[in-house]
Amino acid sequence: MRLLVLGGTWFLGRALGEVALSRGWSVTTFNRGRSAADLPGVQAIHGDRERPEDLGRLAEHGPWDAVVDTIGFVPNQVLAAARALAPVVDRYVFVSSVNVYTGWPDEHLDETSELFECPPDANETFGAELGYAGQYGALKAGCERAVVSAVGADRTVNLRPGVILGPGEYVGRLTWWLRRAARGGPLLVPGPADRRIQPVDVRDLAQFAAHCATEPLEGAFNTTAPIGHASFAEMIDACIRVTGAGTQPVWVDPDWLTAQGVQQWTELPLWRTHRGVWAVNSAKAQQAGLRCRPLRDTVAETWAWMNSGGAAVIGEGEAGRAADHGLAAEREHELLSQWQQRSSQSG
């Protein structure tokens, strides 16, 4: 099996390369060579997907049984790559996002839900009026259409993950909760404790992407963990247990947090009150072979990775995104004091 990975140096692309190498596959990666070190054992080709000559040079290294694009998000760039590679790949797997749905994060979703409209040759300015999340979703929808138009629907699989966690995470979601739990003391956590969440482990997504590269699948697949996969409390308890700092969670009313101006999704990572954020139906992918490990395992193995020097594979640009996530210690202390005062007065 010959696999081409567009990306391949960090998080999903790196996890996919590791999966493929463990199966004895021949793996080629294509990236600019700036984000992180190449994975040992792959044939690394450095180039820029925005340069037609680099795409032409890449295609000369084919053919491949499949390509997985883990990094595309501008339709005209994805279209150019797909057109260059269509003659030298059998199957094309594109990693998209649940953001392609106009109803996310407010509605329950499945693969038949409405998508953003975006032409396959749109540039990065398309959809700017939609705001960051809407523009990202529209561009990803355009990317999906780009691959189908260049390669054909019968040779294309579009994967739509939501939140991806696990070893190698650079966004700063689970990693922030782990670092915060390791500091000890009272830990502000947004209620309710039984809120169900469905992040997917990066290694499970990588396994499924590899599966799609070899099986006669086509179309779109929501690649989240099953609805109800775990609770917020299970994630927090796992963070406290693996860090061993004796941290005590303080569950705080989400409406009160919102009234205090606490930013959902960033200041308190993975917290969002929208009813559809963790209501993405992924039964189709599960029936096709997606398997999701317990969230407690993802937490434990991410902590082990964080303490083993694994973060060295992450480039500076990606690691910098973690600074956008998490409450400052002073802000958390202030909120906890206000909440405890409020609770004592109401009690």
Side-chain angles (χ1 to χ4, degrees):
M1 174 74 182
R2 299 193 70 205
L3 178 70
L4 169 64
V5 180
L6 302 187
T9 58
W10 45 272
F11 207 32
L12 177 57
R14 195 174 189 88
L16 176 59
E18 291 172 346
V19 166
L21 290 172
S22 72
R23 298 183 180 188
W25 296 0
S26 171
V27 180
T28 303
T29 59
F30 177 73
N31 54 69
R32 293 177 299 177
R34 301 176 186 172
S35 295
D38 293 307
L39 184 65
V42 306
Q43 178 187 19
I45 300 172
H46 292 161
D48 193 327
R49 67 188 305 159
E50 297 184 46
R51 294 168 54 88
E53 57 270 34
D54 287 358
L55 292 175
R57 178 169 54 84
L58 170 65
E60 293 174 358
H61 289 267
W64 294 276
D65 298 294
V67 55
V68 181
D69 186 347
T70 67
I71 55 175
F73 71 95
V74 179
N76 63 357
Q77 296 175 15
V78 171
L79 181 63
R83 283 175 172 169
L85 295 173
V88 292
V89 297
D90 291 337
R91 301 185 56 73
Y92 209 111
V93 181
F94 178 74
V95 181
S96 184
S97 167
V98 296
N99 286 70
V100 297
Y101 297 114
T102 60
W104 192 87
D106 298 307
E107 302 172 7
H108 290 239
L109 301 169
D110 62 25
E111 286 85 357
T112 67
S113 299
E114 181 182 7
L115 306 181
F116 280 104
E117 290 294 331
C118 178
D121 59 351
N123 65 25
E124 67 274 8
T125 67
F126 183 90
E129 72 282 359
L130 299 172
Y132 174 78
Q135 182 182 31
Y136 178 74
L139 291 175
K140 278 290 195 179
C143 291
E144 291 188 10
R145 295 184 178 101
V147 175
V148 171
S149 68
V151 181
D154 60 333
R155 296 165 56 197
T156 299
V157 173
N158 286 310
L159 304 181
R160 297 171 179 165
V163 171
I164 308 172
L165 302 178
E169 187 209 336
Y170 59 89
V171 178
R173 291 170 174 149
L174 178 56
T175 53
W176 182 82
W177 283 110
L178 282 162
R179 289 191 180 97
R180 173 58 192 89
R183 288 210 318 262
L187 169 63
L188 187 154
V189 190
D194 61 357
R195 184 189 302 276
R196 309 309 293 183
I197 59 177
Q198 54 175 156
V200 67
D201 188 291
V202 64
R203 296 160 297 178
D204 297 334
L205 179 56
Q207 289 280 2
F208 187 64
H211 178 70
C212 291
T214 59
E215 297 299 317
L217 300 172
E218 62 183 70
F221 294 85
N222 293 335
T223 48
T224 65
I227 293 175
H229 180 65
S231 69
F232 215 96
E234 289 174 54
M235 182 189 74
I236 296 300
D237 290 346
C239 289
I240 293 171
R241 183 171 60 254
V242 300
T243 55
T247 309
Q248 296 109 24
V250 179
W251 293 93
V252 179
D253 180 86
D255 293 334
W256 184 84
L257 288 171
T258 301
Q260 307 313 304
V262 178
Q263 296 299 308
Q264 299 183 33
W265 214 237
T266 52
E267 283 194 295
L268 289 176
L270 303 175
W271 169 54
R272 205 163 190 171
T273 56
H274 303 69
R275 70 184 185 92
V277 67
W278 301 116
V280 180
N281 188 324
S282 56
K284 180 182 176 184
Q286 294 157 40
Q287 292 167 2
L290 174 63
R291 298 292 179 265
C292 296
R293 71 195 68 199
L295 183 55
R296 63 178 179 273
D297 292 350
T298 301
V299 172
E301 289 151 11
T302 301
W303 181 242
W305 167 80
M306 291 169 65
N307 285 282
S308 67
V313 304
I314 297 178
E316 292 182 4
E318 287 69 46
R321 293 183 60 183
D324 297 329
H325 291 79
L327 274 175
E330 298 80 5
R331 174 67 166 151
E332 182 187 16
H333 178 74
E334 175 188 350
L335 289 166
L336 282 170
S337 297
Q338 293 174 358
W339 175 252
Q340 289 163 354
Q341 183 178 10
R342 178 181 182 273
S343 299
S344 62
Q345 289 174 349
S346 62

